[in-house]
């Protein structure tokens, strides 16, 4: 190996070190510089093939071989999909080769059962015969790091996002592929090509402008179009209004869920309901309930934002109103009702005689609560449910009654104010006499309670020259103060 | 007596705490396993010495069983020992550090994370054992140039010592972090 023609190998290490807060741009990478020498070395034809040995042993954390391959391919693809540079990694397939051997003509990525010390992973780059060119590379991911006497197993995380003590295969691989295409380390703290990993390597999945600058420095520009995140398909594209459907989104430049946000019809979908499975696949575990009709799906991440209009159609089952309890109330409004039925979801609108139920709340799929609005109408009216494109009517489902008019203090209902009213109320209170026809009228002081203070108030009015009583008085009218007392008129 | 002891303790710890926390080592709490700030360099290093590079020898060797890689043995003549002084590690003795990369004949390897050394260079190094050899602790973060008169440590913005500091200051900081009460608190 060491006796061949001039061979220059570049070993590059992603080390697990604390990052400093100060940052520079990629070393020396300006248009005025010789990029080959300052930014790294390049593959002269702008592309390079690679093989994967998906051998991470802890499949419970790292995922199946197929999943590992997906993550590693995403890492390689990131350098094209997220950039405008004229470079491409070409996946050639799987291999059983592992380790570092830059004389076998095979560019491999493998996990090795070896101690990395301070290094999580290593890329070995063999320059080509032309100055500034590359001709071969290998990448290894180590099994352990830390002190020789007390090495720590590196828990390589595949599916989902790495937990404490784990490192992201995908993110770390993006960094190592960066070396594989020829980049040196960046001195920009946020860059994927910075020498160390933070946040378990997850943010390394998304290239920093400094990484992209270095890449274009080496390979030039293939397109003027900025990289975008894309949503290309959704499957299935239809589901019930009650939600719960598992949905797969296919697209490009998906990154990691905690750095992204998914919106269904403009509403953010909570993280627990979806995950990024690869750079081209998002799985929504359970679509949220939604009224019938088509909705948009929007994805935001560090690369950009994309909205797929009419991406998904909510359809069926038909929502129905079965009963409303109570089914009657005064037309002055204020009656609290429960609407019972089937297949209610958030966004449902209940109207009574075309007036929206106030303070509506979809309690569950079978119950909506609300407050009956005020109206001038008397008698039975329709109760209507509008839920997306669905509609349901309960004909005559609610009956408005006119609220009775009364005169304050007229406890016995004889339309006079005299001693008999006080005696009637006292008899009711202390002798078990019958109640008067209208509790509101008997509530002479309008405190919402029927007690001894009411006849006293009336007696004061009659015999102590009190000027007036609470409304309605002296003419009949409606009770201006809400209370729990009734009045049958 | 007790007040006097407290005063001594205060005058010993407070200035170095201020220097260490405020000036030198911005620390990221995100580091999960190995904190490579100055405190942890001191803690993790078996030896901390200054010296002059007197020899560099490159050779092929297996790299932890995953391939043949060029290594270099960098030999220092020790000038001062800040940590780990003993019969074999003391002034005028030699200390050899293994690094990745080097040139054997026409074959050359470059390890971007390994520290680079030049013959005659005066350095401050933090080293620890790695697979039976002494390596820079934290790779390139464990090596600092000294000025020609060895009075000043050359810091670096992305290194644990972020700016130039007198060697005496760094030495005091090393001693500060070697106090038993300071150990184990760097993470």
């Amino acid at each position: 190996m060491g006796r061949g023609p001039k061979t220059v190998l570049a070993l590059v290490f992603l080390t697990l070190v604390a990052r400093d807060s100060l940052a520079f741009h990629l070393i020396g990478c300006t248009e005025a510089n010789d990029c080959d020498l300052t930014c790294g070395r390049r593959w002269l034809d702008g592309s390079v093939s690679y093989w994967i040995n998906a051998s991470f042993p802890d499949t419970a954390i790292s995922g199946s071989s197929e999943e590992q391959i997906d993550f590693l391919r995403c890492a390689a693809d990131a350098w094209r999909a997220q950039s405008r540079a004229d470079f491409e990694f070409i996946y050639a397939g799987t291999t059983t080769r592992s380790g570092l051997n830059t004389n076998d003509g095979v560019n491999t990525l493998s996990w090795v059962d070896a101690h990395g010390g301070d290094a999580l992973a290593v890329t070995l780059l063999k320059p080509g015969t032309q100055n500034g060119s590359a001709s071969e590379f290998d990448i290894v991911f180590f099994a352990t790091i830390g002190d020789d006497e007390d090495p720590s197993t590196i828990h390589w995380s595949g599916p989902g996002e790495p937990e404490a003590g784990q490192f992201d295969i995908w993110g770390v691989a993006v960094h190592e592929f960066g070396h594989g295409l020829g980049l040196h380390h960046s001195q920009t703290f946020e860059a994927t090509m910075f020498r160390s990993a933070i946040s378990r390597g997850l943010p390394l999945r998304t290239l920093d402008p400094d990484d992209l600058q270095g890449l274009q420095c080496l390979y030039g520009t293939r397109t003027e179009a900025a990289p975008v995140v894309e949503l290309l398909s959704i499957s299935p594209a239809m589901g019930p209004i009650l939600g719960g459907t598992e949905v797969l989104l296919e697209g490009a430049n998906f990154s990691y869920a905690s750095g992204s946000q998914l919106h269904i019809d403009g509403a953010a979908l909570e993280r627990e309901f979806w995950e990024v499975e690869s750079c081209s696949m998002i799985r929504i575990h359970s679509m949220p309930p939604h009224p019938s009709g088509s909705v948009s799906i929007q994805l935001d991440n560090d690369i950009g934002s994309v909205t797929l209009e009419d991406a998904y159609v909510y359809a069926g089952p038909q929502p129905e109103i079965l009963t409303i309890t109570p089914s009657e109330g005064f037309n002055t409004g204020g009656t609290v009702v429960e609407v019972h039925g089937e297949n209610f979801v958030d966004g449902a609108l209940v109207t009574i005689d075309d007036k929206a139920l106030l303070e509506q709340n979809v309690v569950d799929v079978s119950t909506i609560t609300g407050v009956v609005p005020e109206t001038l109408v008397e008698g039975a009216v329709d109760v209507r449910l509008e839920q997306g494109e669905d509609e349901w009517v309960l004909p005559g489902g609610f009956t408005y009654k006119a609220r009775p008019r009364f005169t304050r203090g007229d406890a016995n209902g004889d339309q006079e104010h005299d001693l008999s009213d006080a005696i009637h109320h006292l008899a009711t209170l202390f002798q078990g006499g019958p109640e008067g026809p209208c509790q509101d009228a008997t509530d002479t002081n309008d405190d919402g309670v029927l007690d001894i203070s009411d006849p006293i108030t009336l007696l004061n009015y009659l015999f102590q020259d009190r000027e007036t009583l609470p409304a309605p008085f002296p003419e009949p009218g409606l009770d201006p103060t809400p209370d729990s007392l009734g009045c049958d008129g | 007596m007790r007040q006097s002891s407290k005063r001594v303790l205060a005058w010993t710890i407070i200035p170095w705490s201020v220097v260490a926390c405020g000036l030198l080592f911005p620390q990221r709490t995100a580091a999960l396993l190995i904190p490579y700030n100055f405190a942890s360099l001191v803690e993790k290093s078996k030896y901390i010495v200054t010296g002059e590079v007197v020899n560099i020898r490159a050779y092929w060797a297996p790299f932890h069983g995953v391939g043949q890689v060029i290594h270099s043995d960098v030999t220092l003549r020790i000038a001062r020992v800040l940590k780990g002084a003993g019969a074999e590690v003391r002034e005028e003795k030699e200390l050899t550090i293994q690094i990745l990369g080097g040139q054997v004949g026409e074959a050359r390897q470059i390890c971007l994370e390994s520290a680079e050394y030049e013959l005659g260079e005066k350095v401050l190094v933090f080293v620890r054992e790695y697979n039976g050899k002494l390596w820079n602790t934290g790779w390139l973060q464990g090596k600092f140039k000294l000025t020609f008169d060895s009075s000043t440590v050359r810091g670096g913005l992305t290194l644990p010592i972020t700016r130039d500091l007198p060697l005496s200051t760094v030495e005091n900081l090393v001693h500060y972090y070697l106090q038993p009460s300071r150990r184990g608190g760097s993470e």
Side-chain angles (χ1 to χ4, degrees), chain A residues 120-202:
Chain A
L120 288 166
V122 172
T123 301
L124 182 65
L125 182 71
K126 176 184 178 181
T129 53
Q130 291 191 43
N131 190 29
S133 67
S135 67
E136 197 169 334
F137 76 90
D138 286 322
I139 296 171
V140 295
F141 284 65
F142 288 112
T144 60
I145 52 171
D147 298 340
D148 282 7
E149 314 83 57
D150 187 23
S152 301
T153 298
I154 305 173
H155 299 289
W156 290 107
S157 170
E161 297 189 0
E163 299 176 357
Q166 300 177 357
F167 279 91
D168 188 48
I169 291 175
W170 177 352
V172 174
V174 176
H175 177 100
E176 297 304 332
F177 273 115
H179 289 316
L181 64 86
L183 282 175
H184 289 179
H185 282 117
S186 167
Q187 294 195 44
T188 295
F189 176 75
E190 295 81 6
T192 293
M193 293 313 296
F194 193 80
R195 65 171 178 269
S196 61
I198 60 166
S199 301
R200 304 155 194 172
L202 199 56

Side-chain angles (χ1 to χ4, degrees), chain A residues 292-316:
Chain A
S292 59
S294 63
V295 295
S296 65
I297 294 182
Q298 177 184 337
L299 176 65
D300 302 327
N301 64 21
D302 289 340
I303 298 167
S305 177
V306 59
T307 302
L308 197 59
E309 301 291 350
D310 300 326
Y312 183 84
V313 176
Y314 282 99

Side-chain angles (χ1 to χ4, degrees), chain A residues 12 78 87 141 175 193 215 287 302 398 401 430 440 486:
Chain A
V12 283
F87 173 80
F141 284 65
H175 177 100
M193 293 313 296
L215 182 63
M287 286 292 282
D302 289 340
F398 189 79
K401 300 186 300 180
F430 303 113
D440 282 320

Side-chain angles (χ1 to χ4, degrees), chain A residues 14 116 127 180 210 275 277 288 379 427 460:
Chain A
L14 175 62
D210 189 70
E275 67 179 309
E277 290 204 335
N460 282 336

Side-chain angles (χ1 to χ4, degrees), chain B residues 11 32 45 57 69 76 86 89 97 105 107 115 122-123 128 142 168 180:
Chain B
W11 281 110
L32 298 174
S45 296
R57 182 180 70 89
V69 178
L76 309 180
V89 180
I97 304 166
K122 293 179 178 177
V123 295
R128 64 169 178 160
S168 58

Side-chain angles (χ1 to χ4, degrees), chain A residues 288-473:
Chain A
H290 192 282
S292 59
S294 63
V295 295
S296 65
I297 294 182
Q298 177 184 337
L299 176 65
D300 302 327
N301 64 21
D302 289 340
I303 298 167
S305 177
V306 59
T307 302
L308 197 59
E309 301 291 350
D310 300 326
Y312 183 84
V313 176
Y314 282 99
Q318 171 69 42
E320 298 179 8
I321 293 177
L322 301 177
T323 62
I324 180 169
T325 306
S327 60
E328 62 178 22
F330 294 120
N331 60 2
T332 50
T335 304
V336 176
V337 295
E338 284 190 358
V339 179
H340 299 285
E342 295 175 348
N343 307 319
F344 299 155
V345 297
D346 280 334
L349 175 65
V350 174
T351 58
I352 296 181
D353 193 33
D354 294 331
K355 286 193 171 183
L357 195 63
L358 306 175
E359 301 173 28
Q360 284 193 50
N361 178 35
V362 179
V363 178
D364 53 40
V365 294
S366 60
T367 309
I368 296 173
T369 60
V371 178
V372 172
E374 183 180 4
T375 183
L376 296 175
V377 172
E378 293 180 30
V381 295
D382 293 345
V383 179
R384 185 182 306 270
L385 172 72
E386 295 176 27
Q387 188 171 278
E389 296 176 352
D390 293 323
E391 189 176 70
W392 182 266
V393 178
L394 186 63
F398 189 79
T399 300
Y400 275 119
K401 300 186 300 180
R403 183 172 290 279
R405 300 161 72 86
F406 66 95
T407 305
R408 185 76 65 190
D410 184 15
N412 59 8
D414 64 358
Q415 299 181 22
E416 297 288 341
H417 290 81
D418 52 25
L419 185 59
S420 65
D421 293 307
I423 291 171
H424 185 277
H425 193 186
L426 289 168
T428 302
L429 289 173
F430 303 113
Q431 294 181 338
E435 282 194 358
C438 180
Q439 290 179 323
D440 282 320
T442 307
D443 181 21
T444 308
N445 59 5
D446 194 21
D447 64 356
V449 179
L450 300 179
D451 56 19
I452 187 65
S453 65
D454 295 312
I456 291 174
T457 299
L458 181 59
L459 291 170
N460 282 336
Y461 167 73
L462 293 172
F463 304 112
Q464 298 292 327
D465 295 331
R466 273 274 186 89
E467 290 186 356
T468 188
L469 293 176
F473 182 85

